[in-house]
Amino acid sequence: MMNFIRISARNLLRNKLRTTLTVLGASVAIIAFVMLRTVLSAWSTAADFAAKDRIATRHKVSFVITMPKNYVDQIRAVPGVKSATYAIWFGGKNPKKPEQFFATMAFDAPSMLEVFDELVLAPDQQQAFLADKQGAIIGDVLARQLGLKVGDRFTLQGSIYPGDWPLNITGIYTATKKSIDRSSMFFHYSYVNDSLPPDRQDQIGWIASRIDDPGRGPAISAAIDQMFDVKDIQTTTMSERAMNLSFMGMISSLLKALDVISIIILFIMMMILGNTIAMGVRERTREYGVLRAIGFPPASIAWFVVGEAAVTGIVSGIVGLALSFPIVELGLGRLLEENMGAWFPYFRIDPKTYVMGMGLALVLALAASIVPARNAFRLQVTDALRRLA
């Protein structure tokens, strides 16, 4: 078998230009496949690594409709709830670069740091944040993107809450979980709420609660919603994973399309390889005829073709996967984490994707060789010796 592969590898080097172009074409397909699969896996990271002991409560109709702030006190009194915090989506922008997107949220600061304990903040920075009503903490990724450091002054331009909102950068956080966006900005709910007209005050977007037993999550969620069923504003409470999945559901059609496109790309790769293998078989028809004439069985001729396909697939897979790391993870990944961290908090190529990419490169190459190998197997000696390439 190894002899067949070595001979096949030498045959591929006869036409170096065509082989190089084929490998590059197949490698591009592998890179595209890895990119799409990584986008899909990165998008689901927030759901996959969601805290099991955290639930979220929002307006029953939609996430964008607010609820009364006093709901949080009632939720804290529900048996099984250890702590709860509340927040609003602020929708702020960098006035110097309004096209730049990053998540901006106003939280109840003391309870936020308790409920979201995976946020890592230096003790002195945490104290400074809690003591300063205009204080804000930002992720380390966002800090690099905006060129900010602790002690800087930053003015946020509001959209949902119009106006200029001066903030003091009192801390830069990291995270112990992949589900936490490190390109977000958090600041005090009271700073925003106290600046609003009376008719807009004391409204919140959602409530996050820590529970004492993840196994009782559905029962606690049901108890919370039943408590507000008699109110004018009803709620929907779900696990953090379910809420994150609901965000994914908003673009479920796009995710399905990416899944289909990744499969189509693999078929394109198979056609590229199949075309190259078929051309090689046609060019070496007379040689195969000579081999048959001196005693090589039909199966050996077919193995030459399969060997060429295997070598091409392996080389294409290696080149494609080697290029995927700098292009997909270091290039696209860093770009998405810095500019779309709310949706892609952790963009890394899953090791399973590498294995899948390499395996598919080999399997598809072998699949592409089936027809050419069958034709070579059926080749008649007299026909092969008469045929011109």
Side-chain angles (χ1 to χ4, degrees), residues 1-11 303-304 307 311:
M1 179 64 180
M2 292 302 299
N3 288 332
F4 284 121
I5 294 178
R6 281 197 293 268
I7 295 173
S8 299
R10 292 175 182 174
N11 284 337
W303 274 114
F304 283 131
V311 171

Side-chain angles (χ1 to χ4, degrees), residues 116-130:
F116 292 92
D117 57 1
E118 58 265 52
L119 289 176
V120 179
L121 198 62
D124 58 329
Q125 295 180 8
Q126 179 174 330
Q127 292 176 4
F129 175 50
L130 295 175

Side-chain angles (χ1 to χ4, degrees), residues 224-295:
I224 291 173
D225 292 336
Q226 288 173 6
M227 182 171 57
F228 298 117
D229 278 345
V230 296
K231 304 286 187 178
D232 291 337
I233 297 176
Q234 289 83 44
T235 62
T236 293
T237 304
M238 62 194 78
S239 67
E240 184 175 90
R241 173 180 171 79
M243 176 164 276
N244 290 336
L245 287 173
S246 70
F247 292 140
M248 293 174 59
M250 297 177 185
I251 60 165
S252 59
S253 297
L254 176 60
L255 298 179
K256 290 178 181 177
L258 291 177
D259 212 1
V260 172
I261 290 172
S262 66
I263 296 174
I264 293 174
I265 286 173
L266 295 179
F267 278 107
I268 293 174
M269 172 185 166
M270 187 171 69
M271 287 188 289
I272 292 173
L273 294 174
N275 181 64
T276 299
I277 297 167
M279 290 177 65
V281 171
R282 287 195 299 270
E283 290 176 353
R284 286 188 286 279
T285 298
R286 288 176 61 84
E287 296 178 21
Y288 292 150
V290 171
L291 291 175
R292 288 291 310 282
I294 61 176

Side-chain angles (χ1 to χ4, degrees), residues 67-323:
M67 306 176 295
K69 184 169 74 72
N70 59 33
Y71 275 24
V72 71
D73 294 324
Q74 300 177 60
I75 289 177
R76 285 169 177 161
V78 173
V81 174
K82 295 194 300 183
S83 58
T85 189
Y86 52 92
I88 53 172
W89 179 267
F90 186 80
K93 296 181 179 180
N94 180 359
K96 296 180 180 179
K97 294 182 179 180
E99 73 284 354
Q100 186 179 39
F101 175 83
F102 53 92
T104 53
M105 288 170 277
F107 271 90
D108 176 55
S111 58
M112 179 198 75
L113 295 175
E114 180 182 358
V115 173
F116 292 92
D117 57 1
E118 58 265 52
L119 289 176
V120 179
L121 198 62
D124 58 329
Q125 295 180 8
Q126 179 174 330
Q127 292 176 4
F129 175 50
L130 295 175
D132 186 355
K133 188 175 182 178
Q134 291 186 336
I137 59 174
I138 59 176
D140 58 328
V141 173
L142 182 61
R144 290 194 299 269
Q145 183 182 355
L146 298 178
L148 295 175
K149 61 184 184 300
V150 175
D152 285 349
R153 184 84 164 168
F154 181 78
T155 299
L156 196 63
Q157 187 178 69
S159 54
I160 300 174
Y161 303 90
D164 292 336
W165 299 79
L167 296 168
N168 300 317
I169 305 303
T170 54
I172 296 174
Y173 70 85
T174 56
T176 58
K177 287 187 178 181
K178 299 176 182 179
S179 57
I180 295 295
D181 174 20
R182 290 158 51 210
S183 60
S184 290
M185 177 178 290
F186 305 112
F187 44 94
H188 292 264
Y189 170 84
S190 59
Y191 175 44
V192 178
N193 189 60
D194 293 348
S195 303
L196 296 176
D199 61 329
R200 294 192 67 185
Q201 288 184 346
D202 297 332
Q203 296 294 311
I204 57 177
W206 73 97
I207 300 168
S209 306
R210 266 267 157 69
I211 57 178
D212 57 8
D213 182 5
R216 294 185 59 233
I220 296 173
S221 298
I224 291 173
D225 292 336
Q226 288 173 6
M227 182 171 57
F228 298 117
D229 278 345
V230 296
K231 304 286 187 178
D232 291 337
I233 297 176
Q234 289 83 44
T235 62
T236 293
T237 304
M238 62 194 78
S239 67
E240 184 175 90
R241 173 180 171 79
M243 176 164 276
N244 290 336
L245 287 173
S246 70
F247 292 140
M248 293 174 59
M250 297 177 185
I251 60 165
S252 59
S253 297
L254 176 60
L255 298 179
K256 290 178 181 177
L258 291 177
D259 212 1
V260 172
I261 290 172
S262 66
I263 296 174
I264 293 174
I265 286 173
L266 295 179
F267 278 107
I268 293 174
M269 172 185 166
M270 187 171 69
M271 287 188 289
I272 292 173
L273 294 174
N275 181 64
T276 299
I277 297 167
M279 290 177 65
V281 171
R282 287 195 299 270
E283 290 176 353
R284 286 188 286 279
T285 298
R286 288 176 61 84
E287 296 178 21
Y288 292 150
V290 171
L291 291 175
R292 288 291 310 282
I294 61 176
F296 277 77
S300 297
I301 306 302
W303 274 114
F304 283 131
V305 178
V306 173
E308 287 185 28
V311 171
T312 305
I314 291 172
V315 173
S316 299
I318 292 174
V319 173
L321 295 177
L323 294 175

